Amino acid sequence: MAEPSLAVRRKSRPGAVCKRGRAPGQPSAVCSPVARKRPSSGGEGPPAETPCSNDSEEDMFGDYDSFYGNSSLLAQVDDTEHKYLQDKNMDIKAGGEIILGNLQSGIHQKKQDDFSTSQNMVVLKADEEDAFQMNVNDPVDSNQELTESILDDLPSSQLLYFEKMDEVSSGSRISPISERRNKCVNSSLDKIRSLSSFCPDAEHRNRSTDFSSDSKCDLFKTESLKDHLKSAMTGNAKAQTLQVSKTKQLKETVLSEEICVARKTIESSSVDVGPFYGLPSKVKDLFRQFRGIETLYEWQHDCLMLESLQQRKNLIYSLPTSGGKTLVAEIVILQELLCRQKDVLMILPYVAIVQEKVRGLSSFGIELGFLVEEYAGSKGRFPPIKRRIKKSLYIATIEKGHALVNSLIETERIDDLGLVVVDELHMLGEGSRGATLEITLAKILYTSKNTQIIGMSATLNNVGDLQKFLQAEYYTNNFRPVELKEYVKIRDSIYAVDSKTENGFTFSRLLNFKYSSNLEKADPDHIIALVTEVIPKYSCLIFCPTKKNCENVSSMVCKYLKKEFRAHRAKEKQDLIKNLKNIGNGSVCPVLKQTIPFGIAYHHSGLTNDERKSIEEAYSTGVLCLLACTATLAAGVNLPARRVILRAPYVANDFLKKNQYKQMIGRAGRAGIDSAGESILIVQEKDKHLVQDLVNSPLENCYSNLLLELTKGMQSLLLSLVGLKIAVTYEEVDNFMCSTLLGVQQQLLSKEKSLSEVIKAGLENLVEKGLLKGRISEKDHNSKCTLTITPLGKATYKGSVDLAYCNLLYRELKKGLEGLILESNLHLLYLVTPYDMTSNCSPDWMIYLRQFNQLSAAEQKVVDIVGVPESFITKKASGQAIRKNVDSAVVNRLYLSFVLYTLLKETNIWTVSEKFNMSRGYVQNLLNSAASFASCVLHFCEELEEFWVYKALLTELTKQLTYCVKTELIPLMEVAGVLEARAKQLYNAGYKTLAHLANANPETLVKMIEHLSRRQARQIVSSAKMLLSEKAEALQEEVEELLKVPTDIPGTY
């Protein structure tokens, strides 16, 4: 595939004079920082570093001939000047032309290269408004264009000289032509000054090359031009410069030039897209450095060159898993941030993927000058800080992305969002999260005509509906960098999936593995035979229907593996067990302790965040070669395998869907890691026909979930539409709804009720709940009756609180004001314990009673206030009959509050899970959900003045729940990807603040921190730098806003 050349053709400039270039291979010298030139970037190598020396004995002009030694040239200049000064009444225009004409003639006779530049160079120009343009209606002299081009290219010392000479000699008489020449000189000077704004150290360089400071002449006296030229050029050469790397300066200049050219190219919709798809060549180098990507696949090139992308139309593209979809999205994101100077929102399905992407893109942000902001869990600022200089890339989960878009619409900043990228677009059809994603995209489409939307997925079927909804073009390709071979196993026979045959299968081979009778009983599905064909040399994943099945399979496999498997990377396995033991404060899961020495582990939601991260890292580096996992891994972080085995065609008790099947097998044979990939689905005889239908059926269609998820879908949308004033009448709401995916699919979904009737019922329900005000009746629902939002309604949508619980939350917060007990944080914890987790909670009554008895008198009062009598807990624990009815939701919620209360005191998930007889994964999930819900309750309270007291209290509590560690570790855990175990390691090694991490040397980190790879060290340092930069920018914005002079000061005009 032919890649775009790194060279960008120089655009012709009006009035520019074509000059002869230097001979090929001859290095360019540097006259001054302003006139710096670089070789044509036709190749991919970095620009050559220009030699520099302050030694006066060396030729200060490099390989250029010196003006100083050119007596004939100086004689011509001297003669010209005398002639000019003798004729005091000569027309200024003519004088200027003679001087400049002779000067140009002399320069061309001796060395044209002094003011020339290669045609292939990227030329940094000032912004369009600063560029010098002549009015076509002005009378233009035939020689004026030549004069302007010379002035454009003259060194800044000469331009300053002409400026001062003009002030002195013109005196009382300024002709129109002289005015034009002054404009020309000033324009050229402005261009020189504007160049400095693109380089961070430009101010220092300008100071070091101040032409007037070293010049001995007084510019207000008429001095010999010859003397001035000699002193100015000598002064330029001898000027002391800061000891800054020339290579670094040159690279910064090149990057600024290319960004400028790329930006102008994109604005003008030119065919010439610049060095790397409209981006600086540095971006290509960064992809090579950080990702190891040398070239793009052909489909990626074709997709990036699509006319729809060039014209900024919305786009949906679909390719098989591992086809390289994300790289295309990242290149488009960088185009938006660097070239169009707009903010970007990237929506990802899970918190872990958000954190992984934040870590991965922070390095690019540091190098290219944009911010990467994490919006996941309890993290994220609403509305985001409005940056004056740097642009932001917001990486968000679906829920946080929706809240972010709401805040931008409310503050009328939605047009600042130039691009929205949605990964896993098929999630539009998945429950309440799909409904939230649909709402987010519908709002963007309706409120901003300048925001581009790009969606990608590996599993899309009814693309037509999605195209209509997103008003998007569609691109698809079947490309896969590594061939994937699909198989099914029935008994001991392996069949290849072949859609061309009648039953969809073709016999491939028999399993070649000798089973004893005991092994046959333990492993009837021949899993050991399948895995030993690939491990330990290659990696393998086994997808299991349940969490318990994952643990059973990993235990069973290691029992029957040969002892030789223990020897493979034995020391690193022991280090992993030691690391897991540290994470658990001395405790480690007995199953993992048994399986890890064989290179095997399980992976499911029952692990803590720290455990999961350690296991993923060990698998990625090859220490572990086999993971038994649940289906959630398929849509989670990138963990590839040579072979993927599906233990059964079920997820829990539900038969596998085609989308899920494709996601799972897509993990096999990832690009750049394996040369081939294969999937094997284990099938029982009874499921054979179902599996035949599965592998040959099309992907499931994607349908709107706005109606199925009523409180998180339709009602939530209607409430926020009125609250954000997107639609405040029935007609406007109806018009908006037609632009949703539900509106596109209303004929399929609304069989019992029309869409209009659904809208009417939804609005009436919101009025009944006290969230909206206004009348919607049979007679006037088409009228112009305006709907308004109540304070409770506004708090609900701004806090992203589920409408099913908003009234209950309000009542409990109101009740809390009457007697909020703050001796401990138990009362506050109860208020932020998630409602949606209570239904899955089954309290152990003996533990409940034990925890109650350990509470102080004040804390026991909290239990009574929320509505759980001590007698109820006692009778439940002793098994007595209960006559009095107590709300089970409140009882369960209080029990979960006890778990959180103990967790914040002990800050160790292992000990708390043992104390409450819960899985540590459940406790981890409770903690994450509580942190997220606490953030929602905080935003809810901020909108209601009566709850002012909760604001400060919940801010601190949310922080405690988010990190759940000792206070000194919180600054380190703010960095993306640094969890408790890693934070402890860093703190103990002396890295105690964010600044310590941001300024750390990755190589030193690797040496000092156990089990830390170079890649992880670089990502930690980059993430810390990004966070520090983000905080500094926020403070700077605050300072500038504070010092900003108001425009409406009384008495000023």
Side-chain angles (χ1 to χ4, degrees):
M1 180 192 80
E3 285 197 35
S5 170
L6 293 183
V8 177
R9 293 191 298 277
R10 176 182 178 177
K11 293 184 180 178
S12 59
R13 181 177 56 206
V17 178
C18 184
K19 301 180 180 69
R20 178 169 54 83
R22 180 171 298 277
Q26 205 171 350
S28 297
V30 177
C31 287
S32 70
V34 174
R36 179 180 286 115
K37 299 173 176 61
R38 65 184 181 87
S40 172
S41 52
E44 294 185 12
E49 183 170 344
T50 308
C52 181
S53 173
N54 291 326
D55 190 345
S56 60
E57 293 180 4
E58 293 187 20
D59 183 4
M60 293 177 291
F61 297 96
D63 61 350
Y64 286 94
D65 289 340
S66 172
F67 272 104
Y68 195 86
N70 184 2
S71 57
S72 61
L73 171 62
L74 294 176
Q76 288 181 49
V77 171
D78 204 24
D79 291 340
T80 304
E81 183 186 15
H82 281 296
K83 184 179 178 183
Y84 176 82
L85 294 174
Q86 283 171 5
D87 190 359
K88 294 279 186 179
N89 298 320
M90 190 193 334
D91 186 79
I92 292 172
K93 170 190 167 185
E97 286 176 353
I98 292 170
I99 290 171
L100 294 171
N102 279 287
L103 180 59
Q104 184 200 29
S105 173
I107 292 168
H108 276 265
Q109 285 174 16
K110 188 63 185 173
K111 205 71 169 175
Q112 289 184 340
D113 291 336
D114 288 319
F115 301 119
S116 68
T117 184
S118 169
Q119 288 185 349
N120 291 327
M121 281 187 190
V122 179
V123 176
L124 177 63
K125 296 182 183 178
D127 289 335
E128 286 182 10
E129 60 266 27
D130 295 329
F132 173 74
Q133 293 181 343
M134 265 297 192
N135 190 320
V136 292
N137 297 319
D138 287 350
V140 181
D141 189 86
S142 59
N143 290 325
Q144 185 176 335
E145 186 175 323
L146 180 62
T147 304
E148 290 170 3
S149 70
I150 295 168
L151 285 169
D152 271 352
D153 286 339
L154 275 175
S156 49
S157 53
Q158 272 73 335
L159 290 170
L160 288 167
Y161 174 77
F162 284 128
E163 189 177 38
K164 294 297 182 183
M165 282 288 290
D166 189 68
E167 288 177 13
V168 175
S169 59
S170 59
S172 60
R173 183 169 62 92
I174 300 176
S175 70
I177 298 173
S178 177
E179 282 184 1
R180 279 201 299 272
R181 191 191 67 193
N182 291 345
K183 286 179 184 177
C184 183
V185 172
N186 291 335
S187 172
S188 300
L189 286 166
D190 288 342
K191 290 180 183 181
I192 290 168
R193 293 183 188 113
S194 68
L195 286 174
S196 64
S197 66
F198 288 92
C199 295
D201 56 348
E203 187 178 342
H204 297 291
R205 293 208 304 272
N206 287 346
R207 287 173 187 167
S208 67
T209 54
D210 187 349
F211 303 103
S212 58
S213 62
D214 287 329
S215 176
K216 294 179 180 179
C217 67
D218 182 357
L219 288 172
F220 292 97
K221 295 178 182 179
T222 308
E223 187 189 13
S224 166
L225 177 57
K226 181 176 77 174
D227 291 339
H228 174 73
L229 282 175
K230 285 162 65 176
S231 62
M233 296 304 292
T234 305
N236 286 350
K238 288 183 177 179
Q240 295 293 316
T241 57
L242 291 174
Q243 297 303 309
V244 180
S245 165
K246 290 281 184 182
T247 304
K248 183 180 177 183
Q249 289 181 0
L250 195 56
K251 283 181 178 178
E252 287 173 352
T253 307
V254 169
L255 177 61
S256 299
E257 289 173 353
E258 291 180 346
I259 287 176
C260 181
V261 171
R263 193 182 304 155
K264 288 188 176 183
T265 299
I266 285 177
E267 285 171 358
S268 62
S269 300
S270 172
V271 178
D272 182 6
V273 295
F276 184 66
Y277 301 101
L279 290 164
S281 53
K282 182 175 181 179
V283 174
K284 184 175 182 179
D285 296 335
L286 292 176
F287 276 116
R288 184 185 295 118
Q289 180 185 340
F290 296 141
R291 305 280 179 81
I293 297 171
E294 295 286 342
T295 58
L296 271 63
Y297 297 128
E298 189 175 349
W299 83 263
Q300 291 171 328
H301 172 76
D302 293 343
C303 188
L304 287 166
M305 299 305 292
L306 285 173
E307 190 177 343
S308 53
L309 274 186
Q310 306 297 324
Q311 295 176 2
R312 298 196 76 248
K313 292 181 180 177
N314 295 345
L315 178 70
I316 299 169
Y317 64 100
S318 177
L319 279 97
T321 303
S322 85
K325 296 184 293 297
T326 307
L327 179 59
V328 170
E330 287 175 349
I331 290 173
V332 177
I333 285 169
L334 293 176
Q335 288 174 346
E336 196 70 30
L337 290 164
L338 300 180
C339 303
R340 297 191 183 93
Q341 291 288 294
K342 290 280 191 178
D343 295 328
V344 177
L345 168 62
M346 188 177 199
I347 299 177
L348 301 170
Y350 303 110
V351 174
I353 305 177
V354 168
Q355 292 173 341
E356 185 182 45
K357 191 57 69 178
V358 168
R359 290 197 302 273
L361 289 176
S362 289
S363 306
F364 286 84
I366 294 296
E367 294 290 334
L368 298 170
F370 61 86
L371 298 173
V372 179
E373 301 184 40
E374 179 183 343
Y375 280 76
S378 61
K379 292 184 179 179
R381 199 188 291 243
F382 303 102
I385 296 171
K386 186 174 176 63
R387 313 286 181 184
R388 293 173 189 267
I389 303 170
K390 289 187 177 181
K391 296 303 165 187
S392 291
L393 168 58
Y394 310 113
I395 304 181
T397 56
I398 292 170
E399 293 76 15
K400 288 291 179 179
H402 179 221
L404 179 66
V405 167
N406 279 348
S407 69
L408 290 173
I409 292 171
E410 185 178 31
T411 53
E412 298 181 349
R413 287 168 50 195
I414 191 66
D415 282 331
D416 291 348
L417 203 59
L419 174 68
V420 175
V421 174
V422 182
D423 196 9
E424 310 296 354
L425 186 64
H426 62 269
M427 289 197 73
L428 277 167
E430 296 185 13
S432 61
R433 306 195 76 214
T436 304
L437 181 57
E438 180 181 344
I439 292 169
T440 306
L441 295 175
K443 285 177 181 174
I444 294 167
L445 287 163
Y446 195 82
T447 58
S448 175
K449 302 304 176 190
N450 300 320
T451 305
Q452 184 183 16
I453 296 175
I454 294 178
M456 52 183 168
S457 174
T459 53
L460 289 178
N461 192 29
N462 57 329
V463 179
D465 286 352
L466 301 182
Q467 277 187 267
K468 195 172 178 183
F469 165 46
L470 295 177
Q471 303 156 33
E473 303 285 323
Y474 179 58
Y475 176 87
T476 187
N477 196 303
N478 291 322
F479 172 80
R480 208 173 188 281
V482 177
E483 184 186 4
L484 172 61
K485 297 174 182 176
E486 295 178 48
Y487 299 98
V488 296
K489 187 193 82 68
I490 304 172
R491 294 188 294 276
D492 61 351
S493 299
I494 306 288
Y495 297 88
V497 174
D498 186 356
S499 58
K500 296 175 184 176
T501 60
E502 189 176 340
N503 64 358
F505 301 144
T506 303
F507 177 78
S508 176
R509 64 187 174 93
L510 287 172
L511 275 178
N512 183 23
F513 192 89
K514 293 180 181 178
Y515 269 76
S516 65
S517 57
N518 288 337
L519 185 54
E520 188 73 44
K521 287 177 185 176
D523 183 23
D525 294 325
H526 309 106
I527 291 173
I528 292 172
L530 294 173
V531 300
T532 51
E533 289 178 346
V534 289
I535 66 169
K537 187 178 179 181
Y538 300 107
S539 56
C540 182
L541 294 174
I542 304 177
F543 284 102
C544 304
T546 64
K547 289 185 281 188
K548 189 64 181 172
N549 195 226
C550 291
E551 296 177 28
N552 292 341
V553 166
S554 58
S555 295
M556 183 272 295
V557 171
C558 77
K559 278 180 187 176
Y560 294 96
L561 286 181
K562 294 176 181 179
K563 301 295 181 187
E564 292 85 71
F565 281 89
R566 297 178 69 99
H568 182 74
R569 302 180 75 164
K571 185 183 181 302
E572 290 160 286
K573 291 171 186 172
Q574 288 306 313
D575 287 342
L576 175 58
I577 292 174
K578 183 182 172 185
N579 188 33
L580 290 172
K581 201 169 184 179
N582 290 336
I583 289 170
N585 279 4
S587 302
V588 64
C589 172
V591 176
L592 292 175
K593 193 173 183 179
Q594 174 198 9
T595 61
I596 286 174
F598 290 89
I600 300 168
Y602 64 83
H603 183 289
H604 57 58
S605 59
L607 296 168
T608 66
N609 289 344
D610 281 297
E611 287 175 321
R612 195 179 304 126
K613 189 170 178 60
S614 294
I615 286 170
E616 287 168 0
E617 288 173 359
Y619 178 80
S620 297
T621 55
V623 175
L624 297 176
C625 55
L626 174 65
L627 288 185
C629 52
T630 52
T632 51
L633 185 141
V637 292
N638 182 16
L639 293 178
R642 175 65 174 266
R643 176 176 287 180
V644 168
I645 300 168
L646 280 68
R647 170 73 178 75
Y650 290 91
V651 174
N653 296 319
D654 300 322
F655 194 78
L656 200 61
K657 293 178 182 177
K658 184 61 178 278
N659 287 353
Q660 293 170 323
Y661 173 72
K662 283 290 186 185
Q663 289 276 1
M664 290 179 191
I665 67 171
R667 294 293 174 191
R670 302 295 289 223
I673 298 169
D674 290 311
S675 57
E678 55 189 18
S679 68
I680 300 174
L681 171 58
I682 298 173
V683 182
Q684 306 301 322
E685 198 66 46
K686 65 182 178 68
D687 294 325
K688 184 177 177 181
H689 293 294
L690 289 172
V691 170
Q692 284 175 342
D693 293 338
L694 171 71
V695 296
N696 294 301
S697 65
L699 295 162
E700 287 84 13
N701 285 336
C702 183
Y703 294 118
S704 172
N705 277 269
L706 286 181
L707 289 183
L708 298 175
E709 300 289 337
L710 197 59
T711 57
K712 288 185 179 179
M714 176 62 82
Q715 289 185 6
S716 174
L717 171 58
L718 295 175
L719 179 66
S720 60
L721 286 179
V722 176
L724 293 168
K725 299 186 171 120
I726 295 172
V728 293
T729 66
Y730 178 87
E731 276 185 354
E732 289 173 350
V733 172
D734 191 54
N735 185 41
F736 178 93
M737 291 303 300
C738 290
S739 65
T740 63
L741 181 59
L742 176 64
V744 171
Q745 297 175 334
Q746 58 181 297
Q747 293 177 341
L748 296 171
L749 297 176
S750 307
K751 291 179 180 176
E752 298 175 3
K753 287 184 178 179
S754 68
L755 184 59
S756 296
E757 290 172 323
V758 171
I759 294 168
K760 176 179 172 294
L763 290 171
E764 287 177 344
N765 186 273
L766 292 173
V767 172
E768 285 173 21
K769 285 184 176 180
L771 303 176
L772 290 181
K773 285 190 288 188
R775 289 182 58 194
I776 300 293
S777 65
E778 288 290 336
K779 294 180 181 178
D780 66 7
H781 73 262
N782 281 320
S783 71
K784 297 290 182 183
C785 178
T786 301
L787 293 160
T788 56
I789 195 164
T790 64
L792 176 60
K794 188 175 183 182
T796 300
Y797 93 79
K798 291 197 76 172
S800 301
V801 176
D802 189 338
L803 270 65
Y805 307 119
C806 62
N807 284 294
L808 177 59
L809 176 63
Y810 177 80
R811 288 196 300 271
E812 290 191 326
L813 289 169
K814 187 80 172 172
K815 188 178 179 182
L817 289 179
E818 297 170 9
L820 191 62
I821 295 173
L822 297 175
E823 182 183 283
S824 72
N825 54 19
L826 178 62
H827 201 166
L828 281 174
L829 281 170
Y830 174 79
L831 293 173
V832 299
T833 300
Y835 291 104
D836 54 4
M837 291 198 72
T838 57
S839 58
N840 298 325
C841 174
S842 300
D844 182 313
W845 296 107
M846 289 305 296
I847 295 173
Y848 210 143
L849 182 60
R850 193 185 309 130
Q851 290 299 314
F852 176 82
N853 290 332
Q854 290 174 2
L855 298 176
S856 66
E859 289 169 339
Q860 287 184 354
K861 192 177 178 184
V862 173
V863 177
D864 190 52
I865 289 172
V866 301
V868 182
E870 180 184 355
S871 58
F872 174 83
I873 301 171
T874 307
K875 287 180 179 179
K876 272 287 187 181
S878 61
Q880 297 179 37
I882 307 292
R883 292 181 182 177
K884 186 179 179 182
N885 287 329
V886 177
D887 188 346
S888 62
V890 174
V891 173
N892 291 357
R893 194 164 179 234
L894 181 63
Y895 187 66
L896 294 177
S897 303
F898 285 171
V899 178
L900 292 169
Y901 179 56
T902 310
L903 194 54
L904 288 187
K905 283 199 297 184
E906 300 186 10
T907 68
N908 184 262
I909 290 174
W910 264 93
T911 54
V912 173
S913 63
E914 288 172 1
K915 190 173 283 188
F916 284 87
N917 196 24
M918 292 175 166
S919 77
R920 55 197 189 283
Y922 182 85
V923 175
Q924 177 76 72
N925 188 34
L926 172 64
L927 180 62
N928 294 343
S929 299
S932 186
F933 187 60
S935 174
C936 292
V937 176
L938 172 59
H939 293 304
F940 181 90
C941 292
E942 284 174 344
E943 298 302 318
L944 297 167
E945 287 185 18
E946 59 196 297
F947 295 148
W948 62 270
V949 71
Y950 288 115
K951 293 177 191 176
L953 296 171
L954 289 176
T955 300
E956 185 58 34
L957 184 65
T958 302
K959 199 171 186 180
Q960 289 178 30
L961 288 167
T962 300
Y963 301 109
C964 192
V965 292
K966 292 178 180 176
T967 310
E968 63 265 22
L969 297 181
I970 289 178
L972 301 177
M973 288 187 66
E974 288 180 335
V975 178
V978 175
L979 300 177
E980 184 180 1
R982 185 73 77 207
K984 284 179 180 175
Q985 284 181 309
L986 292 166
Y987 189 86
N988 293 334
Y991 297 96
K992 299 185 177 182
T993 66
L994 184 61
H996 282 153
L997 275 186
N999 294 287
N1001 183 334
E1003 293 299 325
T1004 308
L1005 276 180
V1006 171
K1007 291 174 186 174
M1008 296 183 70
I1009 308 297
E1010 286 185 331
H1011 319 302
L1012 184 69
S1013 68
R1014 280 181 174 78
R1015 177 175 165 272
Q1016 291 163 351
R1018 284 195 296 267
Q1019 285 188 340
I1020 285 173
V1021 172
S1022 293
S1023 297
K1025 281 181 180 176
M1026 178 56 68
L1027 189 58
L1028 196 64
S1029 171
E1030 194 182 310
K1031 290 188 173 189
E1033 288 275 337
L1035 291 172
Q1036 186 61 38
E1037 301 286 345
E1038 212 172 302
V1039 168
E1040 289 184 15
E1041 192 62 38
L1042 196 62
L1043 298 176
K1044 193 175 177 183
V1045 179
T1047 55
D1048 56 348
I1049 300 173
T1052 58
Y1053 300 98

